[in-house]
Amino acid sequence: MKTSFIIPNYNYGEFLPECLDSLIAQKYEDWEAILVDDASTDNSWEILTEYQKQDSRIIIIKGEHKGPQGATNTGLERSSGEFISMVGSDDKVDPNFWNTTLPYFYNSKIGVVSIGFMEWRPERSEQIWRKPVLVPSIALILKTNLIHSASPFRREVLNDVGYTDEQTPWGDWDFWIRVLFKGWQIAYCHKPVVWYRVHDKSITQTMDQSSAGENINYIKNKYKELYKLYNISKDGSYAEDFGIEY
């Protein structure tokens, strides 16, 4: 079964080698990686070009500056894998990423494998294990995004729900809402298959409180009928509302 990594990149040249090395180290061989450079102004394109020479499974696309979701959609359109994962170019994946996650798709109703990940700050020695949180209904995913963006999904899911929303940097959250709304089931992988890098340049770290609020409101307004249906409030944490521990 062919698989696809979709990796948007914008000015993350300093992180790209670790990400790309982790792809080449994959023990599952039938993969492609679509790397879409979002008009970077650093040395990203030179790095991507060199890695493409090393491994023909690495496909690079030089795109216009559309933002992370626009670049992701360009990669999704180009991809051909039966199973897909959207990976950050500042992160890295375990060599057994596909060997570990593909068996969870044993049931054709399972559309997504929600993965656990290691929260990784390279300047620190410790790493934090973030286990996947059970999402029993669409109500919980409406409250907050609890599915890691690199969680693999079937191509049938993409055909069913469409591409990521380019109007918000949290397009993965919007994507998972639509996946659950369509009735796809989720499996949970309790092994660390992604190393999620925390650094000062990431979107989550650079987004101020005002912008974060605007993006939350965008999602809530887009799905306002669902929020009313499930009586999801804007106040309080998801842990308080649902009695769960992350």
Side-chain angles (χ1 to χ4, degrees), residues 11-14 16 37 40-48:
N11 285 344
Y12 276 179
E14 62 186 296
L16 271 174
D37 188 68
S40 293
T41 57
D42 65 356
N43 63 336
S44 290
W45 188 250
E46 288 77 15
I47 293 171
L48 291 172

Side-chain angles (χ1 to χ4, degrees), residues 120-138:
W120 169 48
R121 297 175 183 264
E123 71 277 8
R124 300 180 184 178
S125 58
E126 73 275 12
Q127 299 177 0
I128 303 173
W129 161 237
R130 299 294 189 186
K131 62 183 179 180
V133 176
L134 179 66
V135 184
S137 71
I138 192 173

Side-chain angles (χ1 to χ4, degrees), residues 82-84 104-114 151-158 175-176 179-180 183-187:
E82 296 178 56
F83 298 92
I84 302 168
Y104 286 88
F105 289 103
Y106 66 93
N107 186 326
S108 62
K109 293 182 180 179
I110 293 174
V112 181
V113 176
S114 182
S151 295
F153 55 91
R154 295 179 184 274
R155 175 162 297 279
E156 292 96 322
V157 167
L158 181 65
F175 186 78
W176 304 133
V179 169
L180 267 71
W184 287 97
Q185 294 181 13
I186 301 176

Side-chain angles (χ1 to χ4, degrees), residues 5-240:
F5 290 112
I6 310 300
I7 307 175
N9 174 75
Y10 179 67
N11 285 344
Y12 276 179
E14 62 186 296
F15 307 131
L16 271 174
E18 283 182 286
C19 177
L20 294 165
D21 285 340
S22 76
L23 301 181
I24 294 174
Q26 286 301 299
K27 295 182 180 179
Y28 185 87
E29 296 184 352
D30 195 6
W31 58 266
E32 65 178 5
I34 316 295
L35 285 111
V36 182
D37 188 68
D38 197 33
S40 293
T41 57
D42 65 356
N43 63 336
S44 290
W45 188 250
E46 288 77 15
I47 293 171
L48 291 172
T49 301
E50 287 303 311
Y51 271 87
Q52 186 183 48
K53 294 176 183 177
Q54 295 180 38
D55 197 316
S56 61
R57 294 172 296 181
I58 295 175
I59 300 164
I60 61 176
I61 299 173
K62 196 173 184 68
E64 301 175 1
H65 188 53
K66 296 182 178 179
Q69 302 310 318
T72 295
N73 285 339
T74 297
L76 289 170
E77 291 171 359
R78 173 65 176 77
S79 68
S80 59
E82 296 178 56
F83 298 92
I84 302 168
S85 172
M86 302 181 291
V87 177
S89 61
D90 51 343
D91 300 333
K92 59 183 181 179
V93 294
D94 185 81
N96 281 305
F97 180 92
W98 290 116
N99 285 332
T100 301
T101 58
L102 285 177
Y104 286 88
F105 289 103
Y106 66 93
N107 186 326
S108 62
K109 293 182 180 179
I110 293 174
V112 181
V113 176
S114 182
I115 59 173
F117 63 94
M118 299 300 294
E119 188 175 292
W120 169 48
R121 297 175 183 264
E123 71 277 8
R124 300 180 184 178
S125 58
E126 73 275 12
Q127 299 177 0
I128 303 173
W129 161 237
R130 299 294 189 186
K131 62 183 179 180
V133 176
L134 179 66
V135 184
S137 71
I138 192 173
L140 184 53
I141 201 72
L142 286 169
K143 187 65 179 178
T144 191
N145 186 11
L146 292 173
I147 302 176
H148 192 278
S149 58
S151 295
F153 55 91
R154 295 179 184 274
R155 175 162 297 279
E156 292 96 322
V157 167
L158 181 65
N159 295 337
D160 192 19
V161 308
Y163 295 119
T164 65
D165 189 335
E166 298 183 15
Q167 301 304 309
T168 172
W170 294 340
D172 58 320
W173 182 17
D174 175 84
F175 186 78
W176 304 133
I177 291 173
R178 285 180 278 137
V179 169
L180 267 71
F181 179 71
K182 286 283 190 173
W184 287 97
Q185 294 181 13
I186 301 176
Y188 299 88
C189 175
H190 288 268
K191 294 180 180 179
V193 291
V194 166
W195 271 253
Y196 171 71
R197 186 194 300 262
V198 179
H199 58 92
D200 293 339
K201 294 182 180 179
S202 68
I203 292 175
T204 54
Q205 297 297 311
T206 58
M207 185 181 295
D208 59 33
Q209 188 172 359
S210 175
S211 297
E214 290 175 4
N215 282 288
I216 290 172
N217 285 330
Y218 175 84
I219 296 292
K220 292 183 181 297
N221 289 330
K222 181 175 180 178
Y223 298 105
K224 59 183 177 182
E225 296 304 320
L226 283 178
Y227 278 87
K228 290 179 183 178
L229 177 64
Y230 288 96
N231 194 29
I232 304 300
S233 68
K234 291 187 178 181
D235 302 319
S237 71
Y238 62 85
E240 293 169 340

